[in-house]
Amino acid sequence: IGSLLCQSLFIDEGRRRVELAARLEPRNAAITIDRARVGALLGENDRVREILRDAKLHDGPLSVVVMEMRLAIWWKDRDMAREVAAVLQGAPSGASWGSAGGLMEAFANERFLPEALQAFTAMTSADVAPRHRCLMNEVAVEYFAQMGEREHALRHIAELQRLPFTDLLWLDK
């Protein structure tokens, strides 16, 4: 509920609930990622780094790698992107995001991969559950915008308008 409240711009109440959830389940990766996402969108970068450092220390580097992928792009942090790519390539997990290592490496080297078009097309197809499709469209916008591929970024923004779960806090930032 806290996450949905934050995404709906009821930030204070949403954060209270997310922090309560974190106190109740401090090792829950989804809660950790949500705390980091909201903090990053609100510009609390030092706090976010602390949250991620703690999670990786206790739960391993893969526990927050999805959030780190997004943060590397949000913060235009090429070194972080290289680190994330190394984690992904060095610890294959079989998870759907495991193939993102190449995209992160390309981002780190400021080199656009045409394969990104096919990857994001698949991740945002009508076969994907609506909530996950929203998330993947957001990630596509972030990636394509930072890579200078505005036409592709705008196409994914347009797709978000047709979906029911767009994160308004993300859209606002």
Side-chain angles (χ1 to χ4, degrees), residues 42-114:
L42 296 176
E44 300 168 349
N45 297 355
D46 290 338
R47 179 174 184 265
V48 170
R49 284 184 176 87
E50 183 180 316
I51 290 168
L52 297 177
R53 192 172 28 255
D54 181 60
K56 289 191 294 189
L57 177 67
H58 291 95
D59 304 318
L62 291 176
S63 64
V64 290
V65 74
V66 174
M67 189 69 239
E68 287 183 314
M69 286 189 287
R70 293 185 83 183
L71 292 174
I73 293 169
W74 293 357
W75 295 342
K76 300 176 190 174
D77 188 333
R78 308 289 180 191
D79 291 332
M80 184 179 196
R82 272 187 205 82
E83 291 170 18
V84 169
V87 167
L88 290 170
Q89 292 164 350
S93 67
S96 61
W97 43 261
S99 61
L103 293 177
M104 292 309 295
E105 187 66 35
F107 175 77
N109 294 316
E110 300 183 57
R111 180 175 46 88
F112 180 70
L113 280 183

Side-chain angles (χ1 to χ4, degrees), residues 14-50:
R15 286 189 91 175
R16 276 193 292 279
R17 289 174 185 250
V18 168
E19 292 303 323
L20 172 61
R23 286 192 301 277
L24 294 172
E25 289 189 66
R27 302 282 49 100
N28 183 308
I31 295 167
T32 299
I33 289 169
D34 205 45
R35 290 175 70 214
R37 182 188 62 78
V38 171
L41 289 171
L42 296 176
E44 300 168 349
N45 297 355
D46 290 338
R47 179 174 184 265
V48 170
R49 284 184 176 87
E50 183 180 316

